Amino acid sequence: MEFAELIKTPRVDGVVLHRPFMPTVEGTLCLTGHHLILSSRQDNTEELWLLHSNIDYIEKRFVGSLGTIIVKCKDLRIIQLDIPGMEECLNIASSIEALSTLDSVSLMYPFFYRPMFEVVEDGWNMFLPEEAFKEIETLTDEWRLSSVNKDFGVCPTYPQLVAVPKAVDDDTLRKVATFRHGGRFPVLSYYHKKNGMVMMRAGQPLTGTNGRRCKEDEKLINATLRPGKRGYIIDTRAINVAQQAKARGGGFEQEASYPQWRRIHKAIERYNILQESLIKLVEACNDQSQSMDRWLSKLEASNWQTHVKEIVTTACLAAQCIDREGASVLVHGTEGTDSTLQVTSLAQIILDPCCRTMRGFQSLVEREWLQAGHPFQQRCAQSAYSNSKARLEAPVFLLFLDCVWQVLRQFPCSFQFNEHFLVLLFEHAYASQFGTFLGNNAAERLKLKLPQKTVSLWSWVNRPQEMERFLNPLYEPNNLVIWPSVAPQSLLLWEGVFLRWNRSSKCLDEAYDEMVHIIEYNKELQSKVNALRRQLAQLETGDGLLETP
Amino acid sequence: MEHIRTPKVEQVKLLDRFSNRSTTGTLHLTATHLIFVESGTSSSSAQEVWILHHHISSVEKLSLTTSGCPLLIQCRNFRVVHFVVPRERDCHDLYSSLLRLLRPVSFDELYAFSYNPKQNDQQREEGWQLIDLSAEFERMGVPCDQWHWTDVNREYKVCDSYPRDLYVPVAASKPIIVGSSKFRSKGRFPALTYFYQEKKAAVCRCSQPLSGFSARCLEDEHMLQAISKANPNSRYIYVMDTRPKLNALANRAAGKGYENEDNYSNIRFQFVGIENIHVMRASLQKLLEVVGARALSVTDYLLGLESSGWLRHIKAIVDAAIFLSKAVTAEGASVLVHCSDGWDRTAQVCSLGALLMDPYYRTLKGFMVLIEKDWISFGHKFADRCDQLDGDPKEVSPIFTQFLDCVWQLSEQFPQAFQFSEWFLIQIHEHVHSCQFGNFLCNSQRQREELQLREKTYSLWSFLLSEQHNYENPLYSAALAERNPVLEPSTQPCHFKFWTNMYHQYDRTMHPRQSLLKHLLAVRESSCALEKTAHELEAKLQKLGVSMPSLGLGSAHRPRPQSLILGTPHGHKEEDGEQEGEGLPARSDGERTVEGSSATENSYAELQGPFGAKAEPHLVSLEFGVARMTC
């Protein structure tokens, strides 16, 4: 098997592992095709299993014949391995480097992973577009599911089935696709039950410098408006960025051609800038020897919190247009695969209580990220420690999760899932034994035969024994729209991700357990009291029956 | 009251600080409060704003606008209200009345002397007896063979800002004490404030020595020697000068300064670098300016946070307290803490250090004792620092607020270590400035006795204890404190945070829309009621001859006995709670429900204004009759 060639030294004894806030472990280091394993070979001691694909960057150091490898992971953890013997150390390092940067997707671990659990409900079939659309069909007959993209010919990054206005036929869709970036014609993203308003998303219109028009495009998006009503177009780029896009054939909707639409520009940064921001933020968080002033200025310079604020604000704006203004909304940026999805998915969290449930949130990730063609494989190829000049990598999804966390923190009783679930999604988007986040779009996933060859993350996470860890004990369903505060004072640094490895979580974990305990205890008391009442009632009526004859 | 020119003004607008919303209502001016009552809505839902005159730190009349005369009122509890009074004359009357009312000239004008909570004399007396500092020293194990009580300051003659009862090393005779006090600024000689029984290590406090460039004092050297000798476990004592070195050097020119290591045997001298009251005052002012800005950007917020230096100062205080705690608990060394006068930074460091070392101070009662000991009795100048009377604005400084902030930072790192929640800290902060209770009035014990506060005013502590259940931290674990008595917080800058709930306590739009704390308190309360019901039902069933074992709760979910507050049900008042079921109490208040939040409050974008009026006018086409589209 080909991995064997990459593994020059499969085993080294006497390796010492250092992890922050944990005791050091001495043991045997083993390299397999997909894992770095360190085991002390004693009972009751934890083993380290690290997926190669989780390794972002490694550093080597030598003191005499003792080598040290510092492993920096995509989940932002940093561990240190002291390896006796220079040759062993060099071999291990080069093997890790090779194994963590495999080119071929089909060599990735999900293709080799066999679940140790029984798949009760196959995650690959849980959130099919036709299922999601069924609910909308019960509410309105103005939309239909089109299979115009059956062979991915109209839009390579869309799924095979997309929801479009019923009044628009497939031929029109094909024409519109030629007028939108990447063929991403406007499709339905969200239907607001309360007032029938909708949110659509698309790629930018290809107006170019000479202001090209497309009647079919105008017809399509106007078909979503009620008579006499107007809508909003939220362009996730600053106006000057959108203007510049014209020179490259892109552009934005001109008022003259779209008189029923009011366009709003919001500046959400593009992916390469986000990647730099992440690198700076993580660097700031890991700098142990700094003063308060340095920390705050580095945090500021990373701009991360600004991005969070921008995205939450734009999502709230979209939600406000739909819920408060009673208007439909079209969201796009340039490609419609990054900032667009951040906005449409977060707006749904705010508007739709279903998206705040465990299952609803999974469905949202599936619908608005995976099927909507967010290029996970490109964006999550590297994380914050990589030295390679980032080109396509970007923490777009991580930023979305951060925004969800901000809302969750402000509404701690309104979400069925907890922070751990968001952290889990972050980890698995970057490195996973599951196939869910492999590939860049539906077409690639089909080609890779992921549903047949890999296990879905959802199959695992929805097993009751796993799900328990991710449920929010405070959850109480409410049907309201939740409007978060976007003041900088209300948006915190997501410690659960960014400070996760440089603090001891013991106190916080214990406090969380105590919270769970308080709530569980209350529930048990409740059922105990109910049982006692029933018993008493039975006895009393029983006595009554005995007495009457 | 003679200072009130206009007791009532109608049609006053109250502007929201961070959005464009406003409420119209009537403004009432009473002897103690400024009250705004919203008009036009049913009396039950009308918004009411009560502002105690003592809470007002400044009143500003802004320039006249078309809708009236704006009056900007800033409060010490970080409330900022912006009224618009329709007529200028009314506004001026209000303004001048307030100016007079918020600057009382004598103590008997303070609210505490008129406040009457309908308690009899005995109850009031009991309230004052709640905290007994000699009992507290007994708890620490003092007096003992090395430390004893001294009556040297019985008449406040040696030091008029110290309490009467003081504890000193047995070896320090009266002449030594008196001699030492003459060599210390304001006579504040080294006295015991905390005794770490386990290692026999003491924390003493004093003011700076009057050493100038070369002066010595044998009695003072003896005094330190006596402190050192009283601790058999360590050959040396630490002397912590909590000031930056530069400040201490500058003081030498004024005949003050710091201990010369050559003159004192076996001391380890250490500067800590906490800034003085003026720097702290400016820092808070800058901080409030920054966070008070409308439509604040993240960049301006973080840079403002940095340039205000507030978190840097907070970290410096925590760092100093950690140094103190480590010296005492890890090295077993005694420590002498001072700054200039020994009543600001010294109070911060001693009290926070003790809080780290001793879990007792992390309980509700213990925290009161700590404040009573290190702040009130040792003469932190609350009257001057909190501007209780019309005084020198240069004496005002948020020293005590910083202490509370530090405690909050610790409670964030150790969510189970404190019996009280941040609401307790915020409530104490409220009353430090309200002058409603006698505890924090005046600058020293001596002044308090002269004013007979114990006879004429009430104690805050009994009031707080009477509503203790509101201030409890549901996650508190006494067992945890037993296992790890000494807190070792992280001092990485990233673990220090801006305390939104303190500095924005009245800016509801910035709070989390659902309060975790409130929710957990409600759940716990419900559990207590359920426990009671369960017992009653079990008793009834037993009477009917049913044995109970099958219904017992799994042992895993029994209230954990180690956790004091969880284990013991409190005496709950609501006997009628039984009838309406023991589920969670109905939540009608705005904080728990999410309706309290609204899209318009948050101003995500200027959708409210006429279309195109903002940002990008050139983008709005003329044929678009947009102005009518707004809601």
Side-chain angles (χ1 to χ4, degrees), chain A residues 181-298:
Chain A
H181 192 117
R184 294 176 70 93
F185 54 88
V187 294
L188 180 70
S189 161
Y190 171 67
Y191 181 86
H192 196 46
K193 278 179 225 164
K194 199 165 112 189
N195 58 10
M197 292 302 131
V198 296
M199 180 159 58
M200 289 174 295
R201 51 179 158 76
Q204 65 177 342
L206 303 174
T207 57
T209 38
N210 49 6
R212 196 157 73 96
R213 283 180 71 163
C214 173
K215 286 279 175 206
E216 289 79 7
D217 189 73
E218 291 157 25
K219 184 185 158 200
L220 192 162
I221 73 164
N222 286 338
T224 66
L225 293 176
R226 299 270 163 83
K229 283 281 208 170
R230 291 187 166 91
Y232 289 87
I233 294 172
I234 296 179
D235 191 325
T236 61
R237 303 163 295 180
I239 177 68
N240 60 323
V241 178
Q243 296 273 21
Q244 284 159 13
K246 284 186 185 172
R248 291 187 298 273
F252 51 84
E253 293 81 357
Q254 300 292 335
E255 286 73 19
S257 322
Y258 299 86
Q260 285 165 286
W261 295 81
R262 143 98 155 123
R263 207 177 63 252
I264 302 172
H265 287 271
K266 281 288 189 179
I268 298 180
E269 286 298 347
R270 279 176 65 75
Y271 45 80
N272 49 340
I273 291 173
L274 301 183
Q275 182 71 8
E276 262 171 53
S277 172
L278 175 69
I279 291 170
K280 280 190 196 161
L281 174 69
V282 171
E283 205 267 312
C285 291
N286 287 343
D287 187 351
Q288 306 270 331
S289 60
Q290 57 187 347
S291 68
M292 182 59 76
D293 290 2
R294 205 168 133 88
W295 155 247
L296 288 172
S297 77
K298 276 180 150 185

